C-alpha cells in the first residue's frame, strides 16, 4: 500500500517548499537545524533532531490545562496511593527491594504523579514523590536499579524502563546529579549483559524503544562513551518494528510504544530507511485498524482480523503511550503531522476515558459506544470481563498509567529549536520561561480556549530586546490561518496548513502574536468501514449527543479480576458507574450528493466558569444537523453496540440531531452511517448519488482530500463515486 505520508527522508531533506513572505517571516516545513546553545540537543554520533523538549519547571500550564491537572491530582491518579494495594508502602518492592508487590504499578503511577507534581509545583505531591525517589536511589546493586523480577530464568527489565523516565523527569526538575550517576551505572550494567536472555520477555522485548530513548536522553547530557554500542544492542534485541507489511505483535499498547523504535535507531545510524520504517509501521496499524475517528485504532487489547468496526476500542494505556510516542517523533522529525495526531488522541479519545470528576475510568474506549456497562461483551470485545464500565479499578495497567497523558502533553506545548528559538507545537493555555539566542531568558504566555476555538494569543516578555526565531505550528486542518504581530497581519496565504510560520525578529517586551486558525468543518469518509463518515470542527471530531444515564455501582462488584484494594480503603468513596443511553442513538448522518451536511448550525454556549469544558453540560458549543434514525441498528447478542450498517437512502424522514465534541461524550456515535435524503437532494437512487458524485476529488485512506485526479497517475480506486489513493 502506498504510504499516506511523504518519505521521511524527503521530509527531513531541506526546505524546498519554503515560501518567503517577508524579510523575517517564512513558511517552512520543519524547524531549522543548528546547534542549540541553551538545551540538550542530540550529541555526536547521533543525528540532529528538529525539536528539543524543555525541562520540567520551564512550562506552567494555565486555564483548562491546569484545571485538568488539578482534577487529576484530586481524583483517581492523585489519590491512588491511598487506595491501590499495588501502591501500598508496606512490603512494596520499590521501597524494600524484596517486597511482594508494585513492580510495574509503582513506576507507571509515579511517571504521571511526579510529572503532575512538577507542573503544579504542589508541595504535598512533591513530598510524596521524594519518598519514592529516595527509596529508588537507595535500592541499587551493582548498577541495577530497583527490584529484580524474573520470568523463568530471565531478569525482566520492563519496569526499570518505566522508572528510567521517572528518574529523568526528576533530574530535569531538581537538577539532582546523583540521578545521572545512577543512569550511568545502570547503562554500564546493561552493556555488560550477554545478548542471551536480554530483553527476551514479552513486554520488554516489544518496548525496547523506551530504554533506547533513555540512553539518548542521558548521552545528550553526559556524552556516554558506550552510547552507540548500547543502542545497537538494544535495537537488535528489541522486536522487529521495521517490517514492510507486518507487526511483530498486534497488542495495542505495544504498537503505541514500539512504532517509533526505528526512528530512534535512525538517530544513531542516519539510515533514512529506519526513519521511513517508523512512518510505515504507523501506517500498517492505522490503515488496517485505524479506519475510525479519534486517532486510535480497533485494537481492544489485541487487534483481531475482521474486527475493525468503530465499536472496537483502545486501552487508555495505548492512548497515553501513543501520545508520548507522537511527542518523541515530533522531536526527531519536526513533522507537524505528529503534533496533529497527538492532539487528535488528546482531544477526541482520551478525555472520554474518565468520568467527568476523573475518579473512575474505563479500560476500553470506542468511537461508537452506545453503552458503557459492566457486562462481558466478548467476543464483540476482545477482552472477557467488565471492561467498558467506569471503575476506579478498571485494570492494573491503565489504572496506574493513565496519569502521564496530560502532564506529558503539557510539557510539549512549546519546544526549543536547534537554531536557538522556540516553537509552539501543541496548543493549550500556559506560560513558558525559556532561554533563546545567546542564553537570554524570555517568557512566552499563551492565552487560548483551543481546541474549542481557533484563536491563540501570545505575549513575549523579556528584560532586553533579543533576536530569535519563533515558530508557530499550523495544523493540517487549519486552511486560511493568519498570524499578526502587534496587530499587523503578516501571513494571509492558505498554504500554511500543515507547516510552520517562522518569525525571526528583534522581540521586545510586550510584543504580541495573534494566531487565527479558522475552525473549518471537514467531513471524513472512512472507506475501510462501510464508507462511514465523521465530522471534524477544527481539531475536534463531533459525536452524537446522547442523554447519558449514570447508574452507580459498588466498584468491588464490577471490577476485573486483578483489582486489589488497600486494607482499610473505603470503597464506597470510589464507586463504579454504568452509563446507559436515555435517548435514541442509532442515527445515520444525512448528506447531499456532494458529501455535504444538510445542516450545520453552531450553537454557542459560552466558556464554563470552572474552566473545565470536557463534559456535555459545560462544552462551549453544540452543532445542529440532520440525521435519519435507523431502527434496525441496535445492540448485538452480547449487549454491545452493533457494527455499522451500510449507507442507505430514502425519501423524507430526517430530523434534527445535536452533535458535541466526541471527547466530552462518554456515550457517543462519532462514525456515522450515511443517509441520503432523496427529497432534499432530488435524486432517486444510491446509484444516481454515485453517478452524480464529484469524481475530480482524490482522497487518502483517512478520507482527507489530497489532490485532483489529474495529479494521480496510478493507484486509485473508486468507491461511492470518489477516487481514493491505494
Amino acid at each position: 500500500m502506498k504510504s499516506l505520508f511523504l518519505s521521511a527522508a524527503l521530509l527531513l531533506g531541506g526546505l524546498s517548499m519554503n515560501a518567503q513572505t517577508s524579510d523575517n517571516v517564512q513558511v517552512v516545513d520543519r524547524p531549522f537545524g543548528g546547534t542549540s546553545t541553551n538545551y540538550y540537543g542530540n550529541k555526536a554520533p547521533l543525528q540532529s533532531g528538529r525539536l528539543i523538549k524543555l525541562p520540567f519547571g520551564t512550562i506552567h500550564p494555565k486555564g483548562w490545562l491546569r484545571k485538568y491537572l488539578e482534577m487529576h491530582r484530586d481524583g483517581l491518579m492523585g489519590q491512588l496511593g491511598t487506595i491501590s494495594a499495588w501502591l501500598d508502602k508496606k512490603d512494596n518492592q520499590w521501597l524494600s527491594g524484596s517486597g511482594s508487590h508494585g513492580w510495574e504499578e509503582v513506576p507507571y503511577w509515579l511517571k504521571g504523579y511526579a510529572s503532575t507534581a512538577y507542573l503544579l509545583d504542589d508541595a504535598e505531591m512533591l513530598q510524596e514523590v521524594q519518598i519514592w525517589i529516595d527509596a529508588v536511589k537507595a535500592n541499587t546493586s551493582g548498577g541495577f536499579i530497583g527490584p529484580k523480577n524474573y520470568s523463568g530464568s530471565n531478569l525482566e527489565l520492563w519496569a526499570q524502563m518505566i522508572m528510567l523516565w521517572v528518574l529523568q523527569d526528576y533530574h530535569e526538575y531538581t537538577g539532582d546529579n546523583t540521578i545521572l550517576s545512577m543512569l550511568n551505572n545502570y547503562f554500564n550494567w546493561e552493556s555488560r549483559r550477554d545478548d542471551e536472555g536480554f530483553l527476551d520477555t514479552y513486554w520488554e522485548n516489544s518496548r525496547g524503544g523506551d530504554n533506547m530513548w533513555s540512553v539518548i536522553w542521558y548521552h545528550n547530557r553526559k556524552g556516554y562513551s558506550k552510547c552507540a554500542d548500547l543502542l545497537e544492542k538494544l535495537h537488535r534485541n528489541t522486536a522487529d518494528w521495521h517490517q514492510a507489511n507486518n507487526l511483530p505483535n498486534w497488542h495495542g499498547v505495544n504498537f503505541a510504544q514500539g512504532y517509533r523504535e526505528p526512528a530512534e535507531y535512525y538517530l544513531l545510524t542516519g539510515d533514512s530507511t529506519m526513519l521511513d520504517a517508523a512512518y510505515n509501521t504507523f501506517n500498517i496499524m492505522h490503515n488496517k485498524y485505524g479506519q475510525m475517528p479519534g486517532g486510535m485504532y480497533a485494537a481492544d487489547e489485541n487487534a483481531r482480523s475482521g474486527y475493525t468496526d468503530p465499536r472496537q476500542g483502545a486501552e487508555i494505556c495505548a492512548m497515553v503511550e501513543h501520545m508520548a510516542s507522537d511527542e518523541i517523533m515530533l522531536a526527531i522529525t519536526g513533522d507537524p503531522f505528529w503534533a496533529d495526531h497527538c492532539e487528535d488522541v488528546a482531544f477526541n479519545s482520551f478525555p472520554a476515558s474518565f468520568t467527568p470528576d476523573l475518579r473512575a475510568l474505563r479500560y476500553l474506549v470506542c468511537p461508537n459506544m452506545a453503552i458503557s456497562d459492566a457486562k462481558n461483551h466478548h467476543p464483540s470485545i476482545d477482552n472477557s470481563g467488565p471492561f467498558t464500565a467506569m471503575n476506579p479499578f478498571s485494570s492494573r495497567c491503565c489504572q496506574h498509567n493513565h496519569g502521564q497523558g496530560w502532564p506529558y502533553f503539557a510539557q510539549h506545548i512549546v519546544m526549543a529549536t536547534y537554531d536557538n528559538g522556540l516553537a509552539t507545537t501543541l496548543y493549550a493555555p500556559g506560560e513558558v520561561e525559556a532561554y533563546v539566542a545567546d542564553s537570554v531568558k524570555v517568557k512566552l504566555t499563551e492565552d487560548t480556549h483551543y481546541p474549542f476555538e481557533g484563536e491563540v494569543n501570545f505575549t513575549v516578555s523579556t528584560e532586553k530586546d533579543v533576536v530569535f526565531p519563533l515558530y508557530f505550528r499550523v495544523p493540517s486542518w487549519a486552511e486560511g490561518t493568519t498570524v499578526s504581530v502587534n496587530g499587523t497581519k503578516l501571513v494571509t496565504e492558505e498554504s500554511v496548513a500543515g507547516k510552520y510560520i517562522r518569525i525571526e525578529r528583534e522581540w521586545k517586551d510586550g510584543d504580541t502574536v495573534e494566531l487565527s486558525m479558522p475552525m473549518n468543518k471537514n467531513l471524513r469518509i472512512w472507506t475501510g468501514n462501510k464508507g462511514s463518515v465523521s465530522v471534524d470542527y477544527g481539531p475536534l471530531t463531533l459525536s452524537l449527543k446522547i442523554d447519558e444515564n449514570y447508574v452507580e455501582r459498588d466498584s468491588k462488584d464490577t471490577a476485573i479480576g486483578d483489582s486489589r484494594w488497600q486494607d482499610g480503603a473505603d470503597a464506597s468513596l470510589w464507586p463504579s458507574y454504568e452509563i446507559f443511553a436515555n435517548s435514541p442513538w442509532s442515527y445515520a448522518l444525512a448528506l447531499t450528493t456532494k458529501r455535504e451536511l444538510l445542516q450545520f448550525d453552531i450553537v454557542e454556549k459560552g466558556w464554563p466558569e470552572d474552566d473545565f469544558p470536557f463534559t456535555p453540560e459545560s462544552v462551549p458549543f453544540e452543532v445542529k444537523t440532520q440525521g435519519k434514525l435507523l431502527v434496525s441498528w441496535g445492540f448485538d447478542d452480547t449487549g454491545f453496540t452493533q457494527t455499522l450498517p451500510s449507507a442507505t437512502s430514502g425519501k423524507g424522514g430526517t430530523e434534527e440531531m445535536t452533535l458535541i465534541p466526541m471527547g466530552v461524550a462518554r456515550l457517543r456515535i462519532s462514525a456515522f452511517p450515511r443517509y441520503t435524503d432523496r427529497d432534499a437532494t432530488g435524486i432517486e437512487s444510491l446509484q444516481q448519488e454515485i453517478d452524480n458524485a464529484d469524481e475530480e476529488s482524490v482522497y487518502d485512506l483517512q478520507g482527507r482530500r489530497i489532490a485532483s485526479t489529474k495529479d494521480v497517475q496510478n493507484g486509485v480506486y473508486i468507491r461511492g463515486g470518489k477516487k481514493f489513493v491505494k
Side-chain angles (χ1 to χ4, degrees), residues 223-244:
Y224 185 49
S225 62
K226 300 176 183 177
C227 173
D229 289 342
L230 184 52
L231 289 177
E232 288 275 8
K233 179 177 183 175
L234 291 165
H235 175 70
R236 68 175 177 264
N237 286 284
T238 295
D240 183 2
W241 291 102
H242 57 289
Q243 302 175 51

Side-chain angles (χ1 to χ4, degrees), residues 311 313-314 316 349 351-356 360-377 381 385-392 394 546-553 558 575-583 585 634-636 638-642 664-669:
R311 65 104 174 248
I316 304 176
S349 288
S353 305
F354 311 94
T355 51
L361 74 167
R362 55 189 173 196
Y363 181 71
L364 296 176
V365 182
C366 317
N368 284 2
M369 196 171 193
I371 191 169
S372 181
D373 64 359
K375 289 183 179 179
N376 179 5
H377 294 295
I381 295 296
F387 282 94
T388 64
M390 293 286 192
N391 195 305
S394 186
I546 300 173
D547 184 10
E548 299 172 350
N549 178 28
Y550 282 70
V551 177
E552 184 174 322
R553 298 282 303 276
T558 60
S576 173
Y577 293 92
E578 295 182 295
I579 313 174
F580 301 95
N582 266 5
S583 60
W585 58 266
F635 297 105
D636 67 11
T638 74
F640 204 59
T641 312
Q642 281 182 335
V664 313
R666 275 67 183 178
L667 297 183
R668 66 257 196 92
I669 299 295

Side-chain angles (χ1 to χ4, degrees), residues 103-348:
W103 173 72
E104 178 186 48
E105 295 79 14
V106 166
Y108 255 160
W109 165 75
L110 196 57
K111 191 177 178 184
Y113 184 90
S115 54
T116 301
Y118 305 150
L119 288 164
L120 295 178
D121 198 26
D122 186 286
E124 185 175 344
M125 295 180 76
L126 291 171
Q127 187 176 28
E128 177 71 12
V129 169
Q130 197 63 51
I131 292 172
W132 294 95
I133 295 295
D134 287 345
V136 174
K137 290 163 69 173
N139 186 15
T140 62
S141 176
F144 190 79
I145 296 173
K148 294 182 177 180
N149 188 71
Y150 288 89
S151 178
S153 60
N154 291 328
L155 182 59
E156 189 172 3
L157 307 183
W158 163 231
Q160 277 66 32
M161 293 184 192
I162 313 171
M163 188 58 79
L164 292 176
W165 286 38
V166 175
L167 295 174
Q168 292 157 206
D169 295 343
Y170 176 79
H171 171 76
E172 287 183 5
Y173 184 73
T174 65
D176 184 348
N177 286 326
T178 62
I179 299 300
L180 299 179
S181 297
M182 290 173 62
L183 295 184
N184 180 77
N185 294 337
Y186 181 76
F187 294 142
N188 286 341
W189 177 88
E190 285 192 319
S191 297
R192 293 192 298 269
R193 292 287 305 276
D194 292 334
D195 277 18
E196 182 69 27
F198 184 63
L199 303 192
D200 200 43
T201 59
Y202 183 63
W203 302 120
E204 61 180 358
N205 180 255
S206 296
R207 305 170 182 181
D210 282 34
N211 202 145
M212 292 173 66
W213 194 244
S214 293
V215 174
I216 291 169
W217 181 94
Y218 174 73
H219 171 71
N220 288 339
R221 283 152 181 79
K222 297 299 290 183
Y224 185 49
S225 62
K226 300 176 183 177
C227 173
D229 289 342
L230 184 52
L231 289 177
E232 288 275 8
K233 179 177 183 175
L234 291 165
H235 175 70
R236 68 175 177 264
N237 286 284
T238 295
D240 183 2
W241 291 102
H242 57 289
Q243 302 175 51
N245 299 299
N246 193 26
L247 302 181
N249 62 73
W250 294 86
H251 187 278
V253 185
N254 286 345
F255 167 81
Q257 292 172 259
Y259 82 85
R260 60 177 155 82
E261 189 271 347
E264 296 173 354
Y265 189 56
Y266 154 81
L267 290 178
L268 175 65
T269 66
D271 181 356
S272 63
T273 63
M274 282 290 127
L275 193 55
D276 287 337
Y279 281 80
N280 182 62
T281 302
F282 179 96
N283 291 340
I284 290 172
M285 174 66 91
H286 283 268
N287 288 349
K288 187 170 184 177
Y289 292 102
Q291 289 284 295
M292 58 181 61
M296 295 304 296
Y297 32 77
D300 300 336
E301 183 171 350
N302 295 284
R304 298 173 292 164
S305 180
Y307 288 82
T308 61
D309 191 87
R311 65 104 174 248
Q312 312 302 143
E315 291 183 48
I316 304 176
C317 280
M319 295 179 195
V320 297
E321 297 292 0
H322 210 324
M323 290 165 59
S325 290
D326 288 344
E327 291 151 5
I328 289 173
M329 288 296 294
L330 180 62
I332 294 172
T333 68
D335 187 347
F337 168 79
W338 300 111
D340 285 357
H341 186 265
C342 185
E343 288 189 349
D344 194 2
V345 176
F347 299 148
N348 295 313

Side-chain angles (χ1 to χ4, degrees), residues 40 336 393 407 417 526 542 562 579 590 617 643:
Y40 294 108
F393 285 82
T417 61
W526 303 100
L542 304 181
D562 64 354
I579 313 174
E617 295 75 27
T643 57

Side-chain angles (χ1 to χ4, degrees), residues 75-85 87-89 109 128 393 565-570 574:
L76 180 63
M77 185 274 290
Q79 305 306 313
L80 260 180
T82 66
I83 63 173
S84 169
L87 303 183
D88 194 337
K89 291 185 174 67
W109 165 75
E128 177 71 12
F393 285 82
W565 292 80
Q566 280 187 30
D567 292 338
D570 187 351
W574 299 91

